[in-house]
Amino acid sequence: MNILVTGGAGYIGSHTIVELLGAGYDIVVMDNYSNSAPSVIDRIRRIMEEEKQTAGAGNQGRIIDVVEGDVCDKAALRRVFENNSISAVIHFAGYKAVGESVEKPLMYYRNNLESTMNVAECMKEFGTEYIIFSSSATVYGMNNRVPFVETMPVSCTNPYGWTKLMSEQILRDMAAGAPDKERPDYRFRPVLLRYFNPVGAHRSGMIGENPKGIPNNLMPYIQQVAAGIREKLTVFGDDYDTPDGTGVRDYIHVTDLAKGHVKALTWALSADDSQWEAACEAASSSGGAAVFNLGTGRGTSVLELVTAFADVNSVPVPYVIGPRRAGDIATCYADASRAKEILGWEAELGIEDMCRDSWRWQRLDF
Ligand code: NAD
Ligand code: UFG
């Protein structure tokens, strides 16, 4: 079964490919390397080679095609569908920086929406039914009731978030649309995965997140402070209504997140009509899409993460308390029970694993 992974050389995509290959799926990658590099694919191959040596080839899938190309280039995307029989798409390709999206909204709307529409159009044209879409907990907006449940009202506070919400809506509307008269059996089945805060790296230290410039996110910033690249972390506010006054988030190990994609794909491919409809109904606003939070269900504060990182890795992480960052909420964590009930998935790795693996990735110099 060939799975097209758009944005497969990126942070979450690369870890997901490792898990998909391990589960026996064959992979086609399309990435324009705007925020990654072709060397990531070589490293995935090395990880799989090493896993073969230790665990045996087993049921390992293959990377059957790697295409350097822009998903917004419809003709190039069509060629990928033409050259490979695609059973499902996991659509990661997109821009993801909240601050940059405020400065360059059109760039975000163009890339994130056009890529989603092109993927959906090609799927329809070539009869591909299943798409797993990278959404985000950002769609819960400034909601201040935790945990966040899939049935909660959604809204956004920045262009990046709107591209996620609009993409969700596009895919929902496609699923709810009239059946194709020429292919009455064709069903468009989107699975919308709302990620909480992905951190960590593959346990081999060979792939991880590689932010360009000054990191916006907490964990990459902590890593760079620990490595001496930055002098100190600024904690954005210690006067929130949280146990220690600093912001609370649901950090999830990227390997757990990657496994969530494999579970979602395997479930979607095997769900019969009634299982599919029951999953869609369970999230009242979801229309014809199945929606799942991917988080641990546990909140960790900024200071707890800093302390855990310093303790686990025996490395100092100097910090100062600064003002709040505009647009931040106090607390955000998932109700992760739907993914457990329906997909049979739950996060297994804890904060210590996330800190250890982030540091291993930061220190390994290729
Ligand atoms: P990433 O930037 O590491 O990966 C995205 C990949 O897509 C990169 O390899 C980039 O080169 C590629 N890409 C971007 N636009 C493209 C295009 N038009 N055509 C082809 N390739 C293109 O980001 P990530 O952290 O792996 O995130 C993957 C997806 O998950 C994104 O859609 C992101 O919005 C979403 N997401 C990420 C987070 C997070 O905190 N990392 C949280 C929620 C949702
Ligand atoms: N923080 C600091 N100092 C820093 C960076 C972050 O104190 O230098 C704090 C933030 O104030 C927040 C916490 O660390 O309390 C986490 O911040 P991140 O920037 O790592 O993550 P966010 O929760 O703000 O945002 C992330 C993704 C977004 C996504 C959002 C929704 O970056 O793309 O989760 O869940 F939209």
Side-chain angles (χ1 to χ4, degrees):
M1 204 169 262
N2 297 344
I3 312 300
L4 170 61
V5 183
T6 73
Y11 174 46
I12 305 170
S14 57
H15 290 79
T16 302
I17 291 176
V18 167
E19 299 305 321
L20 288 166
L21 292 170
Y25 290 104
D26 291 334
I27 304 298
V28 175
V29 184
M30 187 174 191
D31 201 304
N32 63 2
Y33 306 121
S34 55
N35 196 34
S36 55
S39 58
V40 172
I41 306 296
D42 300 332
R43 291 183 189 178
I44 293 173
R45 290 201 167 99
R46 271 171 60 190
I47 290 172
M48 298 319 292
E49 215 30 66
E50 280 175 22
E51 287 192 0
K52 229 187 249 176
Q53 310 291 333
T54 51
N59 187 28
Q60 228 183 60
R62 295 165 308 140
I63 299 180
I64 56 173
D65 200 2
V66 179
V67 180
E68 176 169 0
D70 191 329
V71 181
C72 295
D73 177 348
K74 176 86 182 286
L77 183 64
R78 273 196 87 256
R79 280 196 296 279
V80 174
F81 276 81
E82 237 161 28
N83 296 339
N84 302 280
S85 163
I86 303 292
S87 302
V89 181
I90 306 189
H91 179 39
F92 293 106
Y95 297 147
K96 62 167 179 176
V98 172
E100 188 182 50
S101 81
V102 175
E103 281 163 33
K104 301 174 184 169
L106 284 180
M107 187 174 105
Y108 270 68
Y109 285 113
R110 171 78 66 194
N111 195 44
N112 291 7
L113 296 184
E114 198 162 350
S115 60
T116 300
M117 288 193 286
N118 282 348
V119 167
E121 278 174 353
C122 285
M123 287 176 64
K124 199 159 180 214
E125 181 182 344
F126 288 86
T128 305
E129 296 186 321
Y130 305 97
I131 177 167
I132 313 290
F133 176 69
S134 298
S135 189
S136 166
T138 194
V139 302
Y140 295 112
M142 299 302 277
N143 212 319
N144 55 13
R145 269 188 309 128
V146 282
F148 292 165
V149 188
E150 290 87 346
T151 46
M152 276 180 169
V154 285
S155 171
C156 284
T157 54
N158 58 72
Y160 164 72
W162 282 112
T163 69
K164 291 293 160 191
L165 207 44
M166 288 177 184
S167 291
E168 284 197 0
Q169 193 60 41
I170 290 167
L171 298 175
R172 271 198 195 105
D173 290 346
M174 290 258 316
D180 186 334
K181 280 195 194 108
E182 277 155 34
R183 283 177 305 180
D185 294 337
Y186 177 76
R187 300 151 309 173
F188 187 79
R189 292 198 155 168
V191 180
L192 313 175
L193 299 181
R194 294 178 178 161
Y195 313 153
F196 282 68
N197 289 55
V199 296
H202 190 263
R203 63 182 179 282
S204 65
M206 280 199 271
I207 53 173
E209 186 171 21
N210 212 349
K212 288 182 179 151
I214 302 173
N216 295 308
N217 297 119
L218 180 60
M219 184 64 106
Y221 207 105
I222 291 177
Q223 287 164 225
Q224 294 196 3
V225 170
I229 300 168
R230 319 228 164 251
E231 192 193 339
K232 55 183 182 301
L233 171 77
T234 301
V235 176
F236 297 145
D238 68 348
D239 58 351
Y240 285 106
D241 184 16
T242 60
D244 64 17
T246 67
V248 167
R249 295 291 183 274
D250 187 339
Y251 298 97
I252 173 167
H253 196 294
V254 65
T255 295
D256 274 333
L257 191 66
K259 288 180 177 167
H261 289 73
V262 178
K263 287 280 191 187
L265 175 68
T266 306
W267 171 80
L269 290 170
S270 67
D272 61 26
D273 287 351
S274 64
Q275 285 168 318
W276 179 264
E277 275 152 29
C280 293
E281 262 168 31
S284 61
S285 62
S286 70
V291 190
F292 298 98
N293 285 339
L294 293 186
T296 64
R298 287 182 295 277
T300 302
S301 75
V302 175
L303 289 182
E304 281 171 338
L305 192 67
V306 169
T307 306
F309 192 97
D311 288 352
V312 168
N313 298 312
S314 306
V315 60
V317 181
Y319 67 86
V320 290
I321 306 292
R324 291 183 179 193
R325 181 172 66 178
D328 274 355
I329 52 174
T331 305
C332 165
Y333 59 90
D335 177 330
S337 53
R338 285 198 76 218
K340 186 175 178 185
E341 264 164 45
I342 297 177
L343 305 180
W345 171 89
E346 69 182 319
E348 289 166 355
L349 299 168
I351 288 292
E352 285 75 20
D353 304 296
M354 302 178 209
C355 292
R356 190 196 55 231
D357 292 341
S358 297
W359 185 228
R360 185 180 297 127
W361 157 246
Q362 177 74 44
R363 278 180 315 157
L364 283 182
D365 193 25
F366 286 93

